[in-house]
Amino acid sequence: MPAIVVLGAQWGDEGKGKATDLLATTDPIDFVVRTSGGHNAGHTIVVNGEKYATHLLPSGILTPGATSVIAGGVVVSPEALFHELDGLIARGVEVADLKVSANAHVIASYHATIDKVTERFLGKNQIGTTGRGIGPAYADKVNRVGVRIADLFDEGILRQKVEAALDVRNHLLTKVYNRRAIEVDAVVEELLSYAERLRPMVCDTSLLLNQALDAGRTVLFEGAQATMLDVDHGTYPFVTSSNPVAGGVCVGAGIGPTRIDRVVGVIKAYTTRVGAGPFPTELFDDDGARLQQLGGEIGVSTGRTRRCGWYDAVVARYASRVNGLTELFLTKLDILGAWERIPVCVAYEVDGQRVEEMPMTQTEFHHATPVYEYFDGWMSDISGCRTFDELPANAQAYVRALEEMSGAPIWGVGVGPGREQTLVVHP
Ligand code: GDP
Ligand code: IMO
Ligand code: MG
């Protein structure tokens, strides 16, 4: 299986890090690739009880022998990149080989400044971004005033580009937002300071990956963010500024869609969301607080508490459809062991009508209330189970029911954060 995509099927934090790490260690994987987003991601990997969090780096950085690739669709903060690398090195991790696309756009400190100022101006309409400068960096890219990694190796070009980028931005900052202007010299100096350390990592990652696939090597594309946070297919405007869906992988990596063999959607056995925006199954009661507490639902990047709710099969079917999922990886089933009865949202009611698929408009989605079906819980600790057959009958029935209604077969089930805490349903 040469090209495998792993992506988020809900609003992020489904366990993509764990799924990537698992695939990278069970099959020999040659490349682990990030294709969109930036250091707004927070992916947790637990190896032999040791916990690691990756943000901008692909989780493959922890897999010796695999090459990690940051492809052209990613927005790269060199500061965050080196901070993360140095953090792993300081912990004694033998970091894998790393390649960075020359075409990737750069996040400079002014992007984070603008991200935060813009959020403040939005007031009660704010998105609840991670404040990492992701949106402003993608905005510069689309406005054609972005700085790319390759520009860091030519001071003259870099200065011209930073001047162009800051021209309008500084008018906005000083005249609209009442802030100090950002100095071109300081930005250029900062970005140049990363150039030498970056140089050996930089290459044409599209060529690298296509040649690898031609040679029959195995490439794992590690999704960041998720389907419902996609700028085109998510709950716009409460989304990130990239395309985390499967189609975005081709654009972000520079590979054709015909290259992809498997598309694995990672999905929690319940639902969480960080930041603002609609969330039909959100719970505001004790069940929500318990899911949050038992699931340890605290953001890896920002430390924010995640909003929690029941599994939403309408979202699952939508994710299966827009990504062409070949399978699902269901995580955190172990967390549901404390409930006698588990509700699952099987459809919505929108303005008095039952709807089975994602409503067409944002207003309808805001008005959607869940229609629940109830499943018997198993009321036990399943974190020690290692095969699907070992699961209590009610847990097996819950997984089979979700599979039936979610639009793709469930390949594996997570019963704990560790690599080994995974049950294969369909090998
Ligand atoms: P990602 O952003 O999709 O990689 O997910 P995060 O790392 O932000 O959040 C997922 C959290 O769930 C992490 O703390 C993981 O260690 C943890 N996790 C993943 N799979 C399981 C599972 O099956 N059971 C439990 N209890 N925790 C899991
Ligand atoms: P992983 O890869 C969960 C959310 C933010 C905010 C919105 C826009 O760990 O699943 P941004 O900073 O991207 O402009 O914020 O998107 N968000 C995430 N939520 N997991 C993530 O990544 C996220 N990355 C961005 O909370 O609502
Ligand atoms: Mg996360």
Side-chain angles (χ1 to χ4, degrees):
M1 277 294 179
I4 307 168
V5 172
V6 173
L7 56 80
Q10 295 162 318
W11 277 279
D13 306 322
E14 298 90 348
K16 298 177 290 294
K18 169 174 166 161
T20 304
D21 173 66
L22 185 73
L23 286 163
T25 47
T26 47
D27 286 318
I29 297 283
D30 300 301
F31 294 85
V32 183
V33 189
R34 279 280 309 270
T35 60
S36 66
H39 61 305
N40 48 348
H43 296 180
T44 316
I45 299 122
V46 181
V47 188
N48 301 328
E50 276 278 309
K51 191 164 163 176
Y52 299 92
T54 58
H55 299 279
L56 175 59
L57 292 172
S59 297
I61 203 78
L62 301 173
T63 313
T67 300
S68 286
V69 179
I70 296 177
V74 177
V75 282
V76 178
S77 155
E79 184 191 4
L81 176 70
F82 293 133
H83 178 74
E84 204 175 326
L85 269 178
D86 290 340
L88 290 175
I89 293 166
R91 282 181 70 179
V93 174
E94 191 193 323
V95 295
D97 192 20
L98 174 66
K99 297 289 175 212
V100 179
S101 168
N103 283 349
H105 279 251
V106 171
I107 299 185
S109 49
Y110 58 86
H111 291 116
T113 307
I114 288 159
D115 195 350
K116 288 173 195 147
V117 171
T118 315
E119 279 282 90
R120 214 163 301 143
F121 250 69
L122 280 171
K124 67 175 178 39
N125 294 325
Q126 58 180 232
I127 313 292
T129 71
T130 59
R132 303 285 201 269
I134 306 294
Y138 277 117
D140 279 3
K141 169 176 172 171
V142 175
N143 281 331
R144 293 159 293 187
V145 291
V147 173
R148 301 204 284 182
I149 292 288
D151 300 327
L152 304 190
F153 307 115
D154 183 327
E155 185 173 348
I157 296 271
L158 178 64
R159 181 169 297 278
Q160 274 178 33
K161 295 214 169 172
V162 172
E163 274 167 5
L166 286 180
D167 189 26
V168 176
R169 293 288 202 203
N170 273 338
H171 281 294
L172 264 178
L173 276 174
T174 53
K175 293 178 189 152
V176 178
Y177 295 132
N178 225 359
R179 292 294 179 115
R180 270 215 310 262
I182 291 157
E183 281 178 35
V184 172
D185 283 349
V187 173
V188 170
E189 196 179 318
E190 192 204 334
L191 292 180
L192 282 176
S193 75
Y194 303 118
E196 280 324 297
R197 191 169 174 197
L198 262 174
R199 194 185 288 272
M201 302 173 186
V202 177
C203 70
D204 178 344
T205 55
S206 164
L207 180 65
L208 176 77
L209 294 171
N210 278 285
Q211 285 176 336
L213 290 168
D214 286 343
R217 314 286 295 277
T218 305
V219 180
L220 190 57
F221 295 97
E222 176 183 2
Q225 290 72 57
T227 306
M228 300 306 285
L229 290 172
D230 185 281
V231 69
D232 289 293
H233 300 284
T235 47
Y236 189 89
F238 301 101
V239 292
T240 192
S241 302
S242 65
N243 287 114
V245 295
V249 170
C250 296
V251 178
I255 60 154
T258 48
R259 292 289 202 177
I260 294 173
D261 302 277
R262 283 172 73 185
V263 185
V264 182
V266 187
I267 196 158
K268 268 180 202 172
Y270 51 97
T271 313
T272 64
R273 172 163 206 175
V274 230
F279 175 3
T281 63
E282 182 170 14
L283 295 165
F284 300 95
D285 57 7
D286 288 350
D287 282 334
R290 260 177 114 197
L291 279 174
Q292 200 272 321
Q293 189 224 336
L294 294 174
E297 297 298 349
I298 307 280
V300 183
S301 282
T302 55
R304 289 179 293 175
T305 300
R306 295 174 183 151
R307 301 154 64 192
C308 296
W310 299 119
Y311 188 86
D312 186 334
V314 183
V315 165
R317 284 196 289 277
Y318 180 69
S320 295
R321 170 156 56 89
V322 300
N323 294 298
L325 296 184
T326 57
E327 61 227 274
L328 283 161
F329 180 52
L330 185 73
T331 60
K332 295 199 141 179
L333 186 66
D334 52 306
I335 303 304
L336 296 180
W339 277 270
E340 263 174 49
R341 215 173 61 133
I342 305 168
V344 169
C345 169
V346 294
Y348 299 142
E349 199 175 287
V350 182
D351 304 327
Q353 299 279 333
R354 181 184 166 112
V355 295
E356 307 276 337
E357 296 296 338
M358 190 59 64
M360 189 178 73
T361 67
Q362 193 200 339
T363 309
E364 287 168 325
F365 191 62
H366 272 277
H367 292 173
T369 54
V371 175
Y372 285 119
E373 241 177 57
Y374 297 87
F375 293 84
D376 289 332
W378 45 95
M379 299 296 290
S380 60
D381 178 4
I382 57 168
S383 63
C385 294
R386 292 295 174 269
T387 64
F388 187 69
D389 293 342
E390 277 176 59
L391 284 179
N394 287 350
Q396 292 191 24
Y398 182 76
V399 174
R400 293 293 184 206
L402 297 194
E403 180 169 69
E404 189 70 21
M405 60 180 86
S406 299
I410 293 177
W411 154 71
V413 176
V415 293
R419 252 181 206 169
E420 69 295 347
Q421 291 175 299
T422 307
L423 321 177
V424 176
V425 185
H426 298 291

